[in-house]
Amino acid sequence: MNLLTIEHLTKSYTERLLFDDTSFSLGMGEKVGVIGINGTGKSTLLKIIAGLLEPDGGEVVRGNGLKFCYLSQEPVFDRQETVLSSVLLRRETEAELWELESQAKAMLNTLGLLDFYQPIGELSGGQRKRAALAAVLLSEADVLVLDEPTNHLDSEMAGWLEDYLKRFKGALVMVTHDRYFLDSVCNRTVELDKGKFYSYMGGYSAFLERKAEREAIAQASERKRQSLLCTELAWMMRGARARSTKQKAHIKRFEELRDQKGPQTDGTVELSSVKSRLGKTTVELQGISKAYGEKKLVRDFTYIFLKDDRVGIVGPNGCGKSTLMKILMGIEAADAGEVVLGQTVKLGYFSQENESMDRNLKVIDYIRNVAEFVVTEEGSVSASKMLERFLFPADLQYTAIERLSGGERRRLYLLRVLMEAPNVLILDEPTNDLDIRTLMILEDYLDHFPGIVIAVSHDRYFLDRVARRIFAFENRGMVRQYEGGYTDYQAASQRRKEAEGSGIMAGKKTPEAESHAAKRKQGSRPKKLKFTYQEQRDFETIEEEIHSLEEEIDRKETAIEAAVSDYSALNQLMEEKAQLEVRLEEKLERWMYLEELAAKIAAGETAG
């Protein structure tokens, strides 16, 4: 049963056609994630679903008596209301208010809003967004319509919301860039692409797989069309006279083939390395401490950044992550300690909130104010060309910034930071309001960025993808170092907490445990690392196995191209290719492990 049906949807914003005679539906129990490039109309779709905006054309049918509740990207409140009263504002009777007040307070606590009676006008934008989220979740809606619900949530809050929405009995439509969140919560993913909706069953992983299949089939069909077109063109060039019915049919066939539109390829954000040389001395933080009153944010933090460091910084909202970045940038002063920057260090700071933009300024002028040209690996590139690579085509470059979507302004701000050619990138919540495709390209760019990357983020996927070391804000300003990405940090932190809880760490060892540890230490000698029998065997054969798998994948791709008109065979070949790619990925991971182990053995390292 459909709770919502939208047919022949058409909507334009200024000169942009957002929806081009397309359709959308929502069924009972469905949890739909909507994804697409910034500026394509995702937020507009949510407003139409929630009944806050009318389409230019088409029909919107909602089930009788259904309650839709909408979370805006930038919620608006009466600034004089308290946090608690704002959350409960929609309640009509005293009984409803009384029943939900304790539930509301518990939810506000979870979302880090501890002063229930603080005027909401005193809150930051992120805090107001969390208050609005609480109000929506307490609304007893049949359909939740959520625009970027994970923005301004720390990792624990995002995990709590993930569990809440998975248990939610009603239907859900949301826009989010959080890929782990999409994968965990959604049972359907809808992509908005060039004015049309494409639906994929499953979360983000399923979307990637199905989209790749759809594009492969479309490209194979286009290659077939081009081949036929060449054949027809050769016939036409031989000077056929349109005398017979057969010849006229042939000419008509050629014209139809010629006029068909091929599949439109997605624009991509191309980030060539815009850089400055980084010298021997990089960034050194020496004994940094910072407090506001009795609240200690950073306590005696020391670290020297390496030339190619990829550091992720995590911790609950308000713990001091952004403050530490501002100290590094010189925006705020530390209470104690020193920041040492090398002479060649050029900082690029992508702040959590966009810098103040003159909304009347044209897009191209905003970038030209930084540089007319930048030097990249490909040579000198103009501001206009860089804008095109960031999905701002020529006609959009002379548009006023005020006419851009929030996500487009965020992308424009990112380009401005990179145009400054930094060699140390400081990214404070970089994933907020950037679409998934831009994030994927940014992540790939950071893989090859020849400098230091420091990212404050709650986005678990982004940190797993980018970070090789995590600094976690823990008790009262203590910053603890963990190796690996976010998932590695989470596992190591859990192990440490369990160990502390059982009395093995923090000076709480039992006498028996201490005696056993002492005997084990006395009786054991460090053993040199060496391959096991199986590792040695794998090390000798794995490169050949990887080569064989790559060749087999190439053969499958050739067979896929040949089977374009046989959908049954095509699906089978696509499935076989996917299985081969999984095996190849496993082999590559094994090869990396064995190479690292071989290097340690060669260096004479010991086990443990």
Side-chain angles (χ1 to χ4, degrees):
M1 174 185 170
N2 278 355
L3 306 179
L4 170 85
T5 303
I6 304 176
E7 293 182 339
H8 303 294
L9 174 64
T10 303
K11 181 71 179 177
S12 295
Y13 176 70
T14 63
E15 298 86 16
R16 291 197 228 181
L17 180 63
L18 297 180
F19 309 127
D20 182 13
D21 190 21
T22 191
S23 299
F24 177 89
S25 65
L26 179 69
M28 288 184 66
E30 281 199 314
K31 293 177 180 174
V32 178
V34 180
I35 61 178
I37 297 173
N38 291 138
T40 52
K42 302 186 298 295
S43 294
T44 301
L45 172 67
L46 296 195
K47 289 174 184 175
I48 290 171
I49 290 172
L52 302 174
L53 195 63
E54 289 297 319
D56 296 339
E59 185 179 15
V60 181
V61 179
R62 298 178 187 84
N64 289 331
L66 292 178
K67 184 177 181 182
F68 288 71
C69 205
Y70 170 68
L71 173 69
S72 168
Q73 272 196 47
E74 298 178 355
V76 177
F77 289 99
D78 181 342
R79 295 177 64 84
Q80 304 308 314
E81 291 282 346
T82 67
V83 173
L84 183 60
S85 63
S86 296
V87 169
L88 297 173
L89 197 57
R90 301 171 189 179
R91 301 301 172 267
E92 296 177 358
T93 67
E94 287 296 325
E96 284 184 305
L97 288 169
W98 180 260
E99 184 180 343
L100 284 172
E101 186 169 325
S102 61
Q103 190 180 347
K105 287 179 177 178
M107 192 174 287
L108 289 169
N109 266 322
T110 301
L111 294 171
L113 300 170
L114 308 181
D115 186 349
F116 308 138
Y117 303 103
Q118 182 180 8
I120 204 156
E122 296 178 3
L123 301 185
S124 68
Q127 288 172 320
R128 287 197 298 275
K129 179 70 179 274
R130 298 201 297 275
L133 176 62
V136 168
L137 297 182
L138 290 165
S139 65
E140 299 177 350
D142 301 295
V143 180
L144 292 176
V145 185
L146 309 179
D147 200 347
E148 297 287 6
T150 61
N151 275 7
H152 308 292
L153 300 186
D154 63 34
S155 302
E156 283 192 18
M157 293 174 190
W160 168 84
L161 180 61
E162 196 174 291
D163 292 338
Y164 184 98
L165 293 178
K166 283 197 285 190
R167 295 193 308 269
F168 178 63
K169 301 298 183 187
L172 164 70
V173 184
M174 69 173 173
V175 171
T176 181
H177 61 261
D178 189 321
R179 287 155 284 183
Y180 281 160
F181 197 86
L182 277 170
D183 227 17
S184 177
V185 173
C186 296
N187 51 29
R188 182 158 70 98
T189 303
V190 171
E191 182 187 24
L192 175 53
D193 186 23
K194 302 176 187 71
K196 302 290 187 183
F197 295 118
Y198 298 91
S199 184
Y200 307 85
M201 297 310 297
Y204 180 69
S205 300
F207 153 73
L208 288 177
E209 184 180 350
R210 302 288 179 266
K211 180 177 170 66
E213 289 176 3
R214 176 172 71 84
E215 290 185 342
I217 290 169
Q219 292 296 336
S221 298
E222 173 63 8
R223 283 193 291 272
K224 183 75 171 177
R225 184 181 77 88
Q226 291 291 342
S227 175
L228 287 170
L229 193 59
C230 288
T231 303
E232 294 297 295
L233 181 60
W235 184 86
M236 293 289 290
M237 294 294 287
R238 286 199 295 268
R241 295 178 177 83
R243 283 191 287 234
S244 70
T245 304
K246 183 176 180 181
Q247 287 169 329
K248 286 179 181 177
H250 219 135
I251 291 169
K252 186 179 179 183
R253 182 184 177 194
F254 165 75
E255 290 172 343
E256 287 173 351
L257 281 168
R258 180 197 62 197
D259 295 338
Q260 279 179 18
K261 286 185 178 179
Q264 290 181 273
T265 56
D266 294 331
T268 58
V269 180
E270 299 176 18
L271 300 177
S272 297
S273 293
V274 179
K275 61 182 179 178
S276 301
R277 187 183 68 84
L278 187 60
K280 186 175 180 181
T281 303
T282 59
V283 179
E284 300 180 6
L285 302 179
Q286 300 173 356
I288 300 296
S289 293
K290 182 70 176 179
Y292 288 110
E294 295 184 0
K295 185 176 183 179
K296 292 182 179 179
L297 297 180
V298 187
R299 187 174 62 193
D300 193 26
F301 178 60
T302 296
Y303 184 72
I304 299 173
F305 288 89
L306 305 176
K307 276 191 176 183
D308 62 347
D309 252 349
R310 298 291 187 271
V311 173
I313 299 179
V314 302
N317 285 323
C319 68
K321 304 183 299 296
S322 294
T323 300
L324 179 60
M325 295 302 95
K326 288 175 182 176
I327 290 171
L328 196 160
M329 287 295 302
I331 298 170
E332 291 193 20
D335 297 338
E338 184 182 12
V339 178
V340 178
L341 300 180
Q343 287 187 346
T344 60
V345 167
K346 191 170 183 182
L347 299 172
Y349 182 44
F350 187 55
S351 66
Q352 188 169 157
E353 302 293 338
N354 289 356
E355 67 172 8
S356 180
M357 289 180 170
D358 181 350
R359 299 285 181 99
N360 297 315
L361 208 59
K362 290 184 175 67
V363 168
I364 192 159
D365 292 333
Y366 177 73
I367 296 301
R368 280 177 175 165
N369 286 346
V370 179
E372 281 277 1
F373 294 90
V374 291
V375 177
T376 74
E377 294 170 340
E378 304 160 5
S380 183
V381 179
S382 69
S384 178
K385 187 64 177 176
M386 289 297 288
L387 278 164
E388 285 181 12
R389 293 178 176 187
F390 267 64
L391 304 183
F392 293 102
D395 58 335
L396 196 56
Q397 293 178 20
Y398 290 88
T399 298
I401 290 172
E402 67 179 356
R403 292 169 67 180
L404 301 180
S405 71
E408 286 173 317
R409 287 197 292 270
R410 188 83 171 143
R411 192 192 321 142
L412 184 65
Y413 173 41
L414 174 61
L415 173 57
R416 184 182 171 107
V417 171
L418 295 178
M419 287 285 285
E420 293 169 348
N423 48 32
V424 177
L425 265 177
I426 299 172
L427 308 173
D428 195 354
E429 294 295 353
T431 65
N432 280 1
D433 298 319
L434 287 182
D435 60 75
I436 289 174
R437 193 179 307 161
T438 303
L439 286 176
M440 290 169 68
I441 305 300
L442 174 60
E443 289 157 359
D444 184 63
Y445 171 77
L446 294 178
D447 286 343
H448 303 96
F449 177 70
I452 296 167
V453 178
I454 307 166
V456 173
S457 183
H458 298 308
D459 189 318
R460 300 159 293 176
Y461 189 106
F462 180 81
L463 289 173
D464 273 344
R465 179 69 177 76
V466 171
R468 298 198 289 265
R469 180 169 296 126
I470 297 289
F471 285 113
F473 276 67
E474 297 183 348
N475 302 326
R476 293 178 58 79
M478 170 67 74
V479 181
R480 194 184 297 271
Q481 180 177 327
Y482 296 87
E483 296 306 304
Y486 183 84
T487 302
D488 299 312
Y489 145 71
Q490 207 172 26
S493 176
Q494 185 60 35
R495 288 195 299 270
R496 185 180 61 78
K497 288 174 183 175
E498 289 171 358
E500 286 178 346
S502 62
I504 296 174
M505 294 180 67
K508 297 180 182 177
K509 293 181 182 177
T510 63
E512 294 81 3
E514 288 181 338
S515 173
H516 179 69
K519 287 178 183 176
R520 187 172 57 190
K521 189 174 179 180
Q522 290 171 1
S524 63
R525 292 183 180 178
K527 294 181 180 179
K528 285 191 175 182
L529 282 171
K530 64 179 183 178
F531 279 134
T532 64
Y533 172 76
Q534 187 61 49
E535 286 170 342
Q536 181 66 47
R537 230 178 126 184
D538 289 350
F539 186 66
E540 291 168 357
T541 61
I542 197 162
E543 288 190 12
E544 187 177 338
E545 291 171 358
I546 287 170
H547 181 66
S548 297
L549 282 168
E550 288 172 337
E551 286 185 335
E552 184 63 23
I553 289 170
D554 287 342
R555 285 194 289 271
K556 291 293 179 191
E557 287 175 347
T558 302
I560 285 168
E561 290 182 12
V564 63
S565 58
D566 186 345
Y567 285 97
S568 176
L570 189 61
N571 286 333
Q572 177 66 27
L573 287 166
M574 293 287 285
E575 188 174 336
E576 290 170 0
K577 179 173 172 274
Q579 291 171 357
L580 287 167
E581 286 171 340
V582 169
R583 285 173 56 197
L584 177 60
E585 184 68 25
E586 290 170 351
K587 289 291 182 186
L588 287 170
E589 288 180 4
R590 179 68 168 169
W591 173 78
M592 288 175 65
Y593 162 75
L594 293 171
E595 284 290 323
E596 289 176 4
L597 181 56
K600 289 178 181 178
I601 291 169
E605 292 188 22
T606 57

